[in-house]
Amino acid sequence: MLWVGLSGGIGSGKSTVSARLAEHGAVVVDADRVAREVVEPGMPTLAEIRERFGPQVVGEDGVLDRAALGQVVFADEQARRDLESITHPRIAERTRELVSDAPADAVVVHDIPLLVELDRAADYALTVVVDVPAGERLRRLVELRAMDPDQVRARIGAQATDEQRAAAADVLLDNSGTVEDLHRAVDRLWEDRLAPFEENLRHGWSSWEELADGATPTENGRCRARAERSLRRIAGVVGGQGRVTALRCEGDRGGRCELVLPVPADADLQDPAVVRRLARVGFVVDRGLVLGADPRWQVRCRVEESSPGPGA
C-alpha cells in the first residue's frame, strides 16, 4: 500500500485532483468528510460535545450547530482544545479503519486540508500539494463561487502560505491552467510515480541506482527540503538524529540523496513491524540499508548504532 498525503489551499482544486485519482483506482480518505461523519446524530462524539459545551450547540433536529459551536471555541483557546481532545481521537480512529479496509495493493490518498499547518508531511510516503497562486485562488472563488472577497482573503490568510506548501511538497501539482490540464498532470503522476511507487513497496523493491564515477552533486532549496523530509520519515520509525551526506537534483527527473542515521542500540531493521512502518513512509530494507522506493526520488540511508552519551 502507498500512503499519500494530498493538500492545497482553499480554491486550489484539491477535490478535482482527488476525484481524478479515484478514477484511476485510488482509495481516497477525505479528512473533512471523516470529521463530519464522527459528529453525526447518534455518534458518541456528538454526545460528548453536547455534554461539554451545552445543548445550544445541537439543533432541534439533533444535528451539530457548527455556527453556534464556532462562536464558543473560536473565542476561547481552552474550549478549542477541549473540542479537539474530543474529536481528534475519533477522527484518527475512523481514518485508521478506512485505511485498514483498503486492499493491500492500494494507493491510499489522504485528502487533508491542514497537512502543512499540522506539519504532517513526513507522515506519508509522498506528499502532493495542488499549487495555485493565492491571487488566482481569490479570483476563482469570487468569480466562480460568488464568495465574499474579504472572507476569502481572511481564509487564505489563516492558512499556510504558498511558499510553506511548496517547501512541504514532494510533488507540486500545477493547477494554474484548465481542468483538462490538471487531469493530464494527475494522469502522469499516477502512471509515472504513484503506480510504480506502490508496486515497488509491495514487492520490497528500491529505486536506488549507483551513479557512474565522477557524477557531480547538485542541489537547490526544495531538493534539500526533500532530503531532510526523507530523514524525518526514517527517523520517525527507527529514532535517532541523522544528516544528509550527499544530494543530487535532476530537475523534473527527480533526484537522490544519501543519509546517515545513528539510532538507538535497540533499533532492529529486521523487525517485521519496523519494516512495515518504514514501508508506510516509502522505504524498504535491504542488507542493512534503508532504501527509498519512490521511482523519482532515490534515497539510501546507512543506519548506524549511536555512540553512548557521556556517563553512559
Side-chain angles (χ1 to χ4, degrees), residues 194-211:
L194 300 186
F197 197 167
E198 183 282 320
E199 184 179 22
N200 285 349
L201 287 174
R202 180 159 31 95
H203 292 289
W205 299 337
S206 81
S207 61
W208 181 262
E209 297 179 357
E210 296 294 340
L211 289 177

PDB file of all heavy atoms in Angstrom, residues 194-211:
ATOM      1  N   LEU A 194       2.941   7.231  -8.891  1.00  0.00           N
ATOM      2  CA  LEU A 194       2.169   6.577  -7.841  1.00  0.00           C
ATOM      3  C   LEU A 194       2.055   5.072  -8.062  1.00  0.00           C
ATOM      4  O   LEU A 194       2.315   4.278  -7.138  1.00  0.00           O
ATOM      5  CB  LEU A 194       0.781   7.201  -7.727  1.00  0.00           C
ATOM      6  CG  LEU A 194       0.727   8.693  -7.394  1.00  0.00           C
ATOM      7  CD1 LEU A 194      -0.715   9.134  -7.173  1.00  0.00           C
ATOM      8  CD2 LEU A 194       1.569   9.019  -6.165  1.00  0.00           C
ATOM      9  N   ALA A 195       1.674   4.663  -9.262  1.00  0.00           N
ATOM     10  CA  ALA A 195       1.525   3.229  -9.523  1.00  0.00           C
ATOM     11  C   ALA A 195       2.853   2.480  -9.373  1.00  0.00           C
ATOM     12  O   ALA A 195       2.903   1.443  -8.695  1.00  0.00           O
ATOM     13  CB  ALA A 195       0.910   3.000 -10.906  1.00  0.00           C
ATOM     14  N   PRO A 196       3.960   2.946  -9.972  1.00  0.00           N
ATOM     15  CA  PRO A 196       5.227   2.218  -9.770  1.00  0.00           C
ATOM     16  C   PRO A 196       5.745   2.294  -8.338  1.00  0.00           C
ATOM     17  O   PRO A 196       6.381   1.354  -7.856  1.00  0.00           O
ATOM     18  CB  PRO A 196       6.189   2.897 -10.751  1.00  0.00           C
ATOM     19  CG  PRO A 196       5.566   4.187 -11.132  1.00  0.00           C
ATOM     20  CD  PRO A 196       4.092   4.000 -10.998  1.00  0.00           C
ATOM     21  N   PHE A 197       5.465   3.391  -7.633  1.00  0.00           N
ATOM     22  CA  PHE A 197       5.876   3.513  -6.229  1.00  0.00           C
ATOM     23  C   PHE A 197       5.177   2.422  -5.416  1.00  0.00           C
ATOM     24  O   PHE A 197       5.802   1.702  -4.622  1.00  0.00           O
ATOM     25  CB  PHE A 197       5.499   4.913  -5.726  1.00  0.00           C
ATOM     26  CG  PHE A 197       6.186   5.354  -4.460  1.00  0.00           C
ATOM     27  CD1 PHE A 197       6.133   6.698  -4.077  1.00  0.00           C
ATOM     28  CD2 PHE A 197       6.854   4.463  -3.635  1.00  0.00           C
ATOM     29  CE1 PHE A 197       6.752   7.138  -2.916  1.00  0.00           C
ATOM     30  CE2 PHE A 197       7.482   4.896  -2.461  1.00  0.00           C
ATOM     31  CZ  PHE A 197       7.417   6.239  -2.103  1.00  0.00           C
ATOM     32  N   GLU A 198       3.866   2.279  -5.606  1.00  0.00           N
ATOM     33  CA  GLU A 198       3.120   1.254  -4.868  1.00  0.00           C
ATOM     34  C   GLU A 198       3.645  -0.139  -5.192  1.00  0.00           C
ATOM     35  O   GLU A 198       3.816  -0.982  -4.309  1.00  0.00           O
ATOM     36  CB  GLU A 198       1.626   1.366  -5.213  1.00  0.00           C
ATOM     37  CG  GLU A 198       0.735   0.404  -4.452  1.00  0.00           C
ATOM     38  CD  GLU A 198       0.762  -1.011  -4.986  1.00  0.00           C
ATOM     39  OE1 GLU A 198       0.793  -1.192  -6.235  1.00  0.00           O
ATOM     40  OE2 GLU A 198       0.791  -1.970  -4.165  1.00  0.00           O
ATOM     41  N   GLU A 199       3.920  -0.390  -6.484  1.00  0.00           N
ATOM     42  CA  GLU A 199       4.422  -1.705  -6.883  1.00  0.00           C
ATOM     43  C   GLU A 199       5.771  -1.994  -6.229  1.00  0.00           C
ATOM     44  O   GLU A 199       6.025  -3.117  -5.753  1.00  0.00           O
ATOM     45  CB  GLU A 199       4.549  -1.781  -8.400  1.00  0.00           C
ATOM     46  CG  GLU A 199       4.983  -3.152  -8.896  1.00  0.00           C
ATOM     47  CD  GLU A 199       5.086  -3.219 -10.409  1.00  0.00           C
ATOM     48  OE1 GLU A 199       5.237  -2.146 -11.043  1.00  0.00           O
ATOM     49  OE2 GLU A 199       5.026  -4.336 -10.953  1.00  0.00           O
ATOM     50  N   ASN A 200       6.645  -0.996  -6.192  1.00  0.00           N
ATOM     51  CA  ASN A 200       7.944  -1.178  -5.542  1.00  0.00           C
ATOM     52  C   ASN A 200       7.779  -1.561  -4.078  1.00  0.00           C
ATOM     53  O   ASN A 200       8.437  -2.491  -3.583  1.00  0.00           O
ATOM     54  CB  ASN A 200       8.770   0.105  -5.645  1.00  0.00           C
ATOM     55  CG  ASN A 200       9.352   0.323  -7.026  1.00  0.00           C
ATOM     56  OD1 ASN A 200       9.325  -0.564  -7.868  1.00  0.00           O
ATOM     57  ND2 ASN A 200       9.872   1.521  -7.264  1.00  0.00           N
ATOM     58  N   LEU A 201       6.914  -0.853  -3.376  1.00  0.00           N
ATOM     59  CA  LEU A 201       6.712  -1.142  -1.956  1.00  0.00           C
ATOM     60  C   LEU A 201       6.129  -2.537  -1.749  1.00  0.00           C
ATOM     61  O   LEU A 201       6.535  -3.262  -0.830  1.00  0.00           O
ATOM     62  CB  LEU A 201       5.783  -0.089  -1.340  1.00  0.00           C
ATOM     63  CG  LEU A 201       6.383   1.301  -1.112  1.00  0.00           C
ATOM     64  CD1 LEU A 201       5.299   2.267  -0.646  1.00  0.00           C
ATOM     65  CD2 LEU A 201       7.516   1.251  -0.092  1.00  0.00           C
ATOM     66  N   ARG A 202       5.188  -2.884  -2.589  1.00  0.00           N
ATOM     67  CA  ARG A 202       4.525  -4.199  -2.448  1.00  0.00           C
ATOM     68  C   ARG A 202       5.521  -5.341  -2.620  1.00  0.00           C
ATOM     69  O   ARG A 202       5.421  -6.372  -1.941  1.00  0.00           O
ATOM     70  CB  ARG A 202       3.388  -4.283  -3.458  1.00  0.00           C
ATOM     71  CG  ARG A 202       2.603  -5.568  -3.441  1.00  0.00           C
ATOM     72  CD  ARG A 202       1.222  -5.425  -4.076  1.00  0.00           C
ATOM     73  NE  ARG A 202       1.185  -4.450  -5.137  1.00  0.00           N
ATOM     74  CZ  ARG A 202       1.327  -4.732  -6.441  1.00  0.00           C
ATOM     75  NH1 ARG A 202       1.549  -5.980  -6.814  1.00  0.00           N
ATOM     76  NH2 ARG A 202       1.236  -3.779  -7.359  1.00  0.00           N
ATOM     77  N   HIS A 203       6.482  -5.158  -3.504  1.00  0.00           N
ATOM     78  CA  HIS A 203       7.457  -6.220  -3.766  1.00  0.00           C
ATOM     79  C   HIS A 203       8.755  -6.058  -2.968  1.00  0.00           C
ATOM     80  O   HIS A 203       9.633  -6.926  -3.049  1.00  0.00           O
ATOM     81  CB  HIS A 203       7.786  -6.255  -5.258  1.00  0.00           C
ATOM     82  CG  HIS A 203       6.654  -6.699  -6.123  1.00  0.00           C
ATOM     83  ND1 HIS A 203       6.202  -8.000  -6.159  1.00  0.00           N
ATOM     84  CD2 HIS A 203       5.850  -6.001  -6.972  1.00  0.00           C
ATOM     85  CE1 HIS A 203       5.185  -8.096  -7.000  1.00  0.00           C
ATOM     86  NE2 HIS A 203       4.955  -6.893  -7.509  1.00  0.00           N
ATOM     87  N   GLY A 204       8.872  -4.964  -2.217  1.00  0.00           N
ATOM     88  CA  GLY A 204      10.103  -4.739  -1.472  1.00  0.00           C
ATOM     89  C   GLY A 204      11.255  -4.298  -2.336  1.00  0.00           C
ATOM     90  O   GLY A 204      12.423  -4.550  -2.006  1.00  0.00           O
ATOM     91  N   TRP A 205      10.944  -3.625  -3.462  1.00  0.00           N
ATOM     92  CA  TRP A 205      11.978  -3.156  -4.375  1.00  0.00           C
ATOM     93  C   TRP A 205      12.336  -1.710  -4.057  1.00  0.00           C
ATOM     94  O   TRP A 205      11.479  -0.888  -3.757  1.00  0.00           O
ATOM     95  CB  TRP A 205      11.485  -3.204  -5.813  1.00  0.00           C
ATOM     96  CG  TRP A 205      11.119  -4.564  -6.310  1.00  0.00           C
ATOM     97  CD1 TRP A 205      11.559  -5.761  -5.843  1.00  0.00           C
ATOM     98  CD2 TRP A 205      10.206  -4.855  -7.381  1.00  0.00           C
ATOM     99  NE1 TRP A 205      10.997  -6.785  -6.550  1.00  0.00           N
ATOM    100  CE2 TRP A 205      10.158  -6.266  -7.504  1.00  0.00           C
ATOM    101  CE3 TRP A 205       9.446  -4.067  -8.239  1.00  0.00           C
ATOM    102  CZ2 TRP A 205       9.370  -6.899  -8.453  1.00  0.00           C
ATOM    103  CZ3 TRP A 205       8.662  -4.702  -9.201  1.00  0.00           C
ATOM    104  CH2 TRP A 205       8.617  -6.103  -9.296  1.00  0.00           C
ATOM    105  N   SER A 206      13.622  -1.392  -4.180  1.00  0.00           N
ATOM    106  CA  SER A 206      14.054   0.005  -4.048  1.00  0.00           C
ATOM    107  C   SER A 206      14.263   0.599  -5.426  1.00  0.00           C
ATOM    108  O   SER A 206      14.344  -0.117  -6.424  1.00  0.00           O
ATOM    109  CB  SER A 206      15.349   0.104  -3.241  1.00  0.00           C
ATOM    110  OG  SER A 206      16.479  -0.172  -4.068  1.00  0.00           O
ATOM    111  N   SER A 207      14.358   1.915  -5.467  1.00  0.00           N
ATOM    112  CA  SER A 207      14.631   2.599  -6.734  1.00  0.00           C
ATOM    113  C   SER A 207      16.090   3.049  -6.834  1.00  0.00           C
ATOM    114  O   SER A 207      16.467   3.712  -7.803  1.00  0.00           O
ATOM    115  CB  SER A 207      13.711   3.822  -6.869  1.00  0.00           C
ATOM    116  OG  SER A 207      13.947   4.743  -5.812  1.00  0.00           O
ATOM    117  N   TRP A 208      16.901   2.675  -5.852  1.00  0.00           N
ATOM    118  CA  TRP A 208      18.277   3.165  -5.806  1.00  0.00           C
ATOM    119  C   TRP A 208      19.114   2.579  -6.933  1.00  0.00           C
ATOM    120  O   TRP A 208      19.083   1.378  -7.191  1.00  0.00           O
ATOM    121  CB  TRP A 208      18.922   2.806  -4.466  1.00  0.00           C
ATOM    122  CG  TRP A 208      20.328   3.320  -4.365  1.00  0.00           C
ATOM    123  CD1 TRP A 208      21.474   2.626  -4.599  1.00  0.00           C
ATOM    124  CD2 TRP A 208      20.718   4.657  -4.048  1.00  0.00           C
ATOM    125  NE1 TRP A 208      22.563   3.441  -4.440  1.00  0.00           N
ATOM    126  CE2 TRP A 208      22.134   4.696  -4.104  1.00  0.00           C
ATOM    127  CE3 TRP A 208      20.026   5.808  -3.720  1.00  0.00           C
ATOM    128  CZ2 TRP A 208      22.855   5.852  -3.829  1.00  0.00           C
ATOM    129  CZ3 TRP A 208      20.745   6.954  -3.450  1.00  0.00           C
ATOM    130  CH2 TRP A 208      22.139   6.969  -3.502  1.00  0.00           C
ATOM    131  N   GLU A 209      19.872   3.452  -7.606  1.00  0.00           N
ATOM    132  CA  GLU A 209      20.802   3.035  -8.651  1.00  0.00           C
ATOM    133  C   GLU A 209      22.136   3.720  -8.410  1.00  0.00           C
ATOM    134  O   GLU A 209      22.185   4.914  -8.092  1.00  0.00           O
ATOM    135  CB  GLU A 209      20.279   3.420 -10.042  1.00  0.00           C
ATOM    136  CG  GLU A 209      18.975   2.737 -10.424  1.00  0.00           C
ATOM    137  CD  GLU A 209      18.491   3.163 -11.795  1.00  0.00           C
ATOM    138  OE1 GLU A 209      19.149   4.027 -12.409  1.00  0.00           O
ATOM    139  OE2 GLU A 209      17.460   2.643 -12.242  1.00  0.00           O
ATOM    140  N   GLU A 210      23.199   2.973  -8.573  1.00  0.00           N
ATOM    141  CA  GLU A 210      24.525   3.557  -8.405  1.00  0.00           C
ATOM    142  C   GLU A 210      24.831   4.493  -9.567  1.00  0.00           C
ATOM    143  O   GLU A 210      24.476   4.228 -10.722  1.00  0.00           O
ATOM    144  CB  GLU A 210      25.588   2.454  -8.332  1.00  0.00           C
ATOM    145  CG  GLU A 210      25.439   1.537  -7.130  1.00  0.00           C
ATOM    146  CD  GLU A 210      25.671   2.258  -5.811  1.00  0.00           C
ATOM    147  OE1 GLU A 210      26.304   3.330  -5.822  1.00  0.00           O
ATOM    148  OE2 GLU A 210      25.206   1.749  -4.774  1.00  0.00           O
ATOM    149  N   LEU A 211      25.482   5.618  -9.269  1.00  0.00           N
ATOM    150  CA  LEU A 211      25.871   6.573 -10.303  1.00  0.00           C
ATOM    151  C   LEU A 211      27.273   6.259 -10.808  1.00  0.00           C
ATOM    152  O   LEU A 211      28.095   5.689 -10.083  1.00  0.00           O
ATOM    153  CB  LEU A 211      25.848   7.999  -9.743  1.00  0.00           C
ATOM    154  CG  LEU A 211      24.485   8.620  -9.444  1.00  0.00           C
ATOM    155  CD1 LEU A 211      24.678   9.989  -8.830  1.00  0.00           C
ATOM    156  CD2 LEU A 211      23.647   8.722 -10.706  1.00  0.00           C
TER     157      LEU A 211
END
